[in-house]
Amino acid sequence: MSKQNPRKQTAAKQATAKQTAAKQAAAKQATAQQATAKQPTGGKNPGTRPGTGSAGAGGGRIPAPAAAPAAPAPEADGAAAKEFSRRRLLGAVGAAGAAGLVVGGAGGAAGVSAAQDDAPKALSTLGSTKVPFRPAHAGHQAGITTPLQAKGHLVAFDLAPGSDRKAAAGLLRRWSRTAEELMAGRAPDADTGVALDAGPSSLTVTFGFGHSFFSRTGLTKRRPLELDPLPDFSADALDPKSSNGDLWIQIGADDALVAFHALRALQKDAAGRARLRWQMNGFNRTPGATAHPMTTRNLMGQIDGTNNPKPSDQDFDERIFVGRDADQAWMHGGSYAVVRRIRMLLDDWEKRSRHDQERVIGRRKDNGAPLTGGSEGTPMRLDANGPDGMPVIPANAHARIAAPESNQGAAMLRRPFSYHDGFREDGAPDAGLLFICWQADPLRAFTQVQRKLDRGDALSPFLRHEASGLFAVPPAAEPGDYVGRPLLEG
C-alpha cells in the first residue's frame, strides 16, 4: 500500500479536531441551558452568598441585574420614569457585553453566542433612580430633602471681573439647563463621556447665592436680611479663601463618576463668567451597604442625623423653608444653607474609651439611643438622674445642648457629608465633616444653637471649624425658567 500524502494527513487531522471542538462547544451550551431551566423562578441563586439579595428600599446589597428587561425605574419622588434615557440604554448594552466577555473566556464560541442572544440587562435601582430638577409638588430645589447620597461636591465661584447682572443671568440659565439634563440622565452638549454608561444615580444639583453676589450684580436692595454674615464663634479657625463666595453649588449622587461628571460640566459652563473660589469633596455610606436603612455615621463612628426634623412634621416647612411673609418674595419656598468644614481631631477622640465618648455625645454609639434608654428614635429624658443624683445625660453632652428643647425649639435640617483630604504633617488625618444645615432663618436656627454649643459643648475640644459659608438657596425653577430668574429679572 502506498503511503498517504503528508499534507492530506495534516488536513484530515485538522478537520477531525474542528469537528471535536464543535461537538464539545455544543455540549457545553446545552448543559448551560439545562442548568438555567432548572433554577427556581424568583428563588435564590444557589451560588449567591447569604445576604446579597435586596432588603427593601435602601437596605441590603444591590441585587444582580434581572435577565429580562426591567420596567422603567421609579423617580425619587415616586412618579414612574417616563423615558429610557440614552445613558440607561448604553448601560444596558454595556452590561450584556461584560457578561459576554466572562462567559466567552470560559466557553469559547458558545459564550459569544449566548451574549449576543441574551436580552439587554437593565440598570440596578441604584443607578436608574432619578430626582426631578423641577419637583412636581414641591417648590424647593432638589438636594435639600433628598435622601443622603454616597458622594458629594461643594463648590463656590466668584463672578469674573466685569461680570454684571446680565452675565450672572446667562450663567444661571446655562447651569440650570445643564443640571436638568444631567439629573434626567441625559448627556449635555459637548459631553466628556465620563458617565455615559451610568444612570442618573440620584444626582442632584443645588444652587445658592452668597452675600457678596448682590453687591457684584447691583442687587443689594434685594439681598435678604437672613443673609447677613454669621457671627464669630470661639471655635472658629476659618480660612477666608475657603469660605463664602458669590455662587454656591451642592452636587450629590450615588455614583462617584456621575458626581464628578456634573462637577466638571458645571465648571466648564462657568468659563469666562465665574472663577472657582473653593471646592470640597465628601462622601457618605453607599445606599444598600447596611442590612436595612439606617441614619448615617460620621468619622467619629457616631450616628449623625438623629432627631432631624422630618417632612412629616407639622411645622417642617415653617422651620426649613421661607414663607410667604419673607421680606424678599423671590425667596419664597427657598431655604438658607449654612456650610461648615469641621475637622475632627480623630487621634484625640479615638484615645477616649467608648464610655467616655458616649457621655460626650449623650447617646449610645452602637444604636444612637439616648443614654436614658430606648432606641435611636426615643425622646431624650433630659430630667433623668442616675443613682448618684447626677443627670444621666451629662449637662454638657452634645445631644443635650443641641436639642430643640434646649434652644427654644430651634431646629435645622442637617444633611452632611464626611470628608478625608489626606494626612497632615504631624500624621493626623485631615478628615471630618462637611456640615450642611438648612433652615428658614439662620439667626433663629444655626446661630442660636451654635452660640450655645460655643459656651460649653463637651464635643467642641475635638472639633476645629476651618471654613464657613452662608447661602440663599432660591426655590426650584418654574418650567421654562432657570434658577434665580425672579431675582435676576424680576
Side-chain angles (χ1 to χ4, degrees):
M1 179 180 289
S2 62
K3 292 184 180 180
Q4 192 174 10
N5 190 309
R7 291 185 179 180
K8 292 184 179 182
Q9 285 182 331
T10 301
K13 290 180 181 180
Q14 289 177 343
T16 302
K18 287 182 179 180
Q19 291 174 358
T20 302
K23 290 179 180 180
Q24 290 176 347
K28 288 182 179 180
Q29 185 174 11
T31 302
Q33 290 173 347
Q34 291 173 2
T36 302
K38 292 180 181 179
Q39 186 169 332
T41 302
K44 293 184 178 179
N45 188 324
T48 302
R49 291 181 291 109
T52 56
S54 174
R61 296 181 184 269
I62 303 302
E75 296 194 0
D77 63 355
K82 296 181 180 179
E83 64 177 8
F84 194 86
S85 70
R86 184 162 71 96
R87 269 200 200 150
R88 289 191 63 193
L89 180 61
L90 288 171
V93 174
L101 288 176
V102 175
V103 178
V112 175
S113 174
Q116 292 173 343
D117 294 340
D118 284 349
K121 306 296 190 296
L123 288 171
S124 71
T125 301
L126 185 69
S128 63
T129 303
K130 283 191 282 188
V131 180
F133 179 72
R134 307 174 194 273
H137 305 294
H140 57 81
Q141 293 187 57
I144 302 176
T145 59
T146 308
L148 286 174
Q149 297 115 315
K151 183 65 177 179
H153 298 293
L154 309 180
V155 57
F157 292 86
D158 287 334
L159 291 172
S163 294
D164 56 10
R165 179 174 171 178
K166 183 178 180 180
L171 175 58
L172 266 297
R173 186 182 296 109
R174 184 163 186 167
W175 271 352
S176 296
R177 183 171 61 248
T178 296
E180 184 169 16
E181 290 292 295
L182 291 170
M183 288 172 60
R186 298 188 293 265
D189 296 339
D191 186 55
T192 61
V194 172
L196 276 177
D197 49 357
S201 303
S202 299
L203 174 68
T204 59
V205 181
T206 316
F207 300 100
F209 303 115
H211 186 275
S212 56
F213 176 83
F214 296 85
S215 56
R216 292 179 184 272
T217 54
L219 293 168
T220 52
K221 292 183 178 180
R222 306 200 69 185
R223 182 166 52 207
L225 295 174
E226 290 82 0
L227 206 52
D228 285 350
L230 298 172
D232 295 330
F233 301 103
S234 64
D236 286 355
L238 305 181
D239 176 9
K241 295 180 180 179
S242 300
S243 300
N244 302 310
D246 295 346
L247 295 159
W248 175 69
I249 303 177
Q250 174 193 251
I251 298 168
D254 283 331
D255 179 80
L257 281 179
V258 169
F260 172 81
H261 182 228
L263 173 67
R264 178 63 175 142
L266 295 165
Q267 182 252 337
K268 288 171 65 178
D269 281 350
R273 298 175 175 87
R275 53 190 180 187
L276 182 70
R277 181 178 178 89
W278 55 259
Q279 182 205 333
M280 300 174 189
N281 306 316
F283 58 90
N284 281 305
R285 187 157 44 198
T286 302
T290 55
H292 54 84
M294 294 180 63
T295 308
T296 192
R297 290 184 184 269
N298 60 36
L299 300 188
M300 287 180 160
Q302 301 294 146
I303 291 179
D304 194 336
T306 303
N307 210 23
N308 239 349
K310 298 176 179 60
S312 58
D313 295 344
Q314 187 174 359
D315 59 353
F316 180 82
D317 285 355
E318 179 182 347
R319 288 181 169 189
I320 309 305
F321 299 110
V322 177
R324 294 184 181 276
D325 59 347
D327 66 315
Q328 297 293 344
W330 63 270
M331 270 297 290
H332 173 230
S335 187
Y336 291 93
V338 174
V339 181
R340 310 277 282 187
R341 183 185 189 273
I342 304 174
R343 180 165 58 90
M344 296 175 171
L345 307 186
L346 294 177
D347 285 346
D348 295 340
W349 176 254
E350 291 163 3
K351 291 175 183 176
R352 306 294 291 266
S353 68
R354 179 165 171 168
H355 176 265
D356 287 349
Q357 291 177 354
E358 290 180 338
R359 288 183 60 79
V360 166
I361 301 298
R363 291 183 175 274
R364 290 184 52 170
K365 194 167 186 176
D366 58 351
N367 62 5
L371 297 184
T372 47
S375 62
E376 180 187 352
T378 302
M380 292 185 293
R381 291 165 45 215
L382 298 178
D383 58 349
N385 294 327
D388 57 358
M390 300 298 291
V392 176
I393 298 177
N396 63 348
H398 180 76
R400 174 189 286 274
I401 295 177
E405 303 93 310
S406 303
N407 293 278
Q408 301 177 345
M412 50 197 163
L413 180 63
R414 306 185 307 285
R415 196 177 181 278
F417 291 94
S418 293
Y419 79 87
H420 177 221
D421 290 339
F423 294 87
R424 296 162 61 86
E425 292 183 0
D426 60 0
D430 185 1
L433 197 69
L434 300 181
F435 175 88
I436 309 165
C437 70
W438 301 88
Q439 57 262 288
D441 185 348
L443 182 63
R444 297 181 180 179
F446 172 80
T447 299
Q448 181 168 323
V449 175
Q450 187 60 33
R451 277 176 172 162
K452 193 158 189 177
L453 291 170
D454 208 36
R455 291 195 294 266
D457 173 28
L459 185 60
S460 291
F462 302 96
L463 306 176
R464 294 292 182 270
H465 293 242
E466 297 183 337
S468 179
L470 171 61
F471 303 95
V473 178
E478 295 291 335
D481 279 349
Y482 60 91
V483 175
R485 189 198 65 79
L487 166 66
L488 292 164
E489 297 185 25

